[in-house]
Amino acid sequence: MASHSRRRPRRERRTALVLAVAVAVTAVGVLLSLVMALRPDGEPNAVRAAAGSATGNQSSAPAATPERKAKPSPKPKPKPSKASPTPTATTPSARPSPTSPPRSSPRPASGTASLAGRIQPQVTYKGVATHYDAADGDGACLYGPSPDLMVAAMNHTDYETSKACGAHVLVRAANGASVTVRITNECPLPCAPGQLDLSKEAFAKLAGLSAGRIPITWSLLSPSTSDTVSIRYKTGSSRHWCGIQALGHRNPLARLEVKTGSGWSRLTRTEYNYFLSPGGTGCGGALRLTDIYGEQLTVDGIAIHPDAVQPTRVQFARH
């Protein structure tokens, strides 16, 4: 009698196989979970998600980017204060070389320097003296012939567009001799600043004519005189145009003005020592004269008589 086989029925074998596979899959899943848990980069997504929900359901929105600190604007550099600039040395135009006046000498009156121009009162200048034939004493100042030949020509620079005309100058030589001259002419270039070209008659008071050229010092004078100032209108003057000249003034003349409806109008001085009114303004009217010391003289009643020397009753004070 054949023995029964120990095999299970086919259905039972299939069920057993399915159970074995299920167990194997479960084991593999557990193993994989353990491996993922032991990874160095942390939990798997599912674990992290669970942990996140366990910590209080924090918002899943991305963290805000921290704000940039505002870059501090640079502090403005302090602007330099507008202090008066430090004066810088400049090279002045050539002037007569003054020597230091004695300390006891009084200072020029206020405002005198601007009126006097290049040649200042109470200042002694150094230069040289030469000589020329002055003939009748007339010259660039157009004063006309003079019976007194103690005259001189001022160098071009210090002549200063006829501002030196009529100035009385005391000239001293190194030997102690001196002479007083009146400026009636201009010594053109190359006469140097400080140079005086004296008439032969005046030069002879200081040295022999053969010397030709000698060192000198000189300064302005305000001489005593009994004469008064005179006025002359230039040839061709009329109510429509005129040139006016002052003669015989004790001190150098700084300004000549004419009276107008709105006040005093200053006339322009020419190098030939006339003050011009091109449009006729003030011609034949009142005049006002100002010397380098600031004194003013008013002259009325001078009619337009060209080339006639008309005396006045006024004169500048002595200084």
Side-chain angles (χ1 to χ4, degrees):
M1 179 173 168
S3 61
H4 290 286
S5 174
R6 297 188 65 87
R7 291 184 181 179
R8 294 177 181 179
R10 182 176 295 179
R11 180 175 294 176
E12 292 177 358
R13 292 198 304 268
R14 184 177 298 172
T15 301
L17 180 60
V18 169
L19 290 173
V21 170
V23 171
V25 170
T26 301
V28 170
V30 172
L31 180 61
L32 289 174
S33 297
L34 291 173
V35 171
M36 294 297 294
L38 296 175
R39 285 176 57 188
D41 57 349
E43 309 94 355
N45 291 340
V47 176
R48 285 200 299 269
S53 60
T55 55
N57 293 325
Q58 295 178 353
S59 173
S60 61
T65 304
E67 295 183 2
R68 292 180 180 271
K69 291 184 179 180
K71 186 177 181 180
S73 57
K75 295 182 180 180
K77 295 181 179 180
K79 295 182 179 179
S81 60
K82 295 182 178 180
S84 301
T86 302
T88 55
T90 56
T91 303
S93 59
R95 283 181 177 270
S97 174
T99 59
S100 299
R103 293 186 179 181
S104 60
S105 298
R107 295 178 61 84
S110 176
T112 298
S114 60
L115 290 173
R118 292 182 59 85
I119 304 173
Q120 303 287 318
Q122 301 176 1
V123 176
T124 299
Y125 297 92
K126 288 182 179 180
V128 296
T130 51
H131 59 77
Y132 75 108
D133 185 358
D136 59 4
D138 197 7
C141 296
L142 296 186
Y143 286 132
S146 171
D148 181 6
L149 292 183
M150 294 296 108
V151 296
M154 181 64 73
N155 67 83
H156 170 77
T157 304
D158 299 325
Y159 183 76
E160 201 175 3
T161 315
S162 78
K163 203 163 189 175
C165 286
H168 296 267
V169 177
L170 173 62
V171 186
R172 295 184 182 276
N175 60 9
S178 64
V179 64
T180 298
V181 295
R182 182 169 61 103
I183 304 302
T184 62
N185 208 349
E186 176 186 8
C187 183
L189 296 173
C191 276
Q195 182 174 348
L196 292 177
D197 202 22
L198 306 178
S199 67
K200 290 181 178 179
E201 290 78 2
F203 190 93
K205 299 284 186 181
L206 304 177
L209 296 182
S210 60
R213 181 185 183 96
I214 59 173
I216 57 167
T217 59
W218 55 272
S219 57
L220 286 176
L221 282 183
S222 180
S224 60
T225 179
S226 58
D227 294 337
T228 60
V229 177
S230 295
I231 300 296
R232 176 164 54 195
Y233 276 93
K234 197 176 188 316
T235 302
S237 293
S238 69
R239 291 284 181 180
H240 308 290
W241 176 94
C242 67
I244 308 172
Q245 182 185 59
L247 306 89
H249 40 85
R250 187 198 309 267
N251 306 317
L253 193 63
R255 296 174 182 167
L256 190 150
E257 300 164 285
V258 294
K259 188 67 175 292
T260 68
S262 58
W264 293 100
S265 177
R266 183 178 176 179
L267 300 186
T268 300
R269 191 173 197 164
T270 67
E271 62 183 6
Y272 51 87
N273 196 33
Y274 272 87
F275 295 81
L276 298 186
S277 177
T281 300
C283 295
L287 306 177
R288 186 166 72 178
L289 313 179
T290 305
D291 70 2
I292 63 171
Y293 298 95
E295 183 181 358
Q296 294 181 329
L297 304 176
T298 301
V299 179
D300 293 309
I302 302 296
I304 301 176
H305 296 309
D307 277 343
V309 176
Q310 303 182 65
T312 70
R313 296 181 179 182
V314 295
Q315 180 59 275
F316 291 114
R318 188 178 182 187
H319 291 265

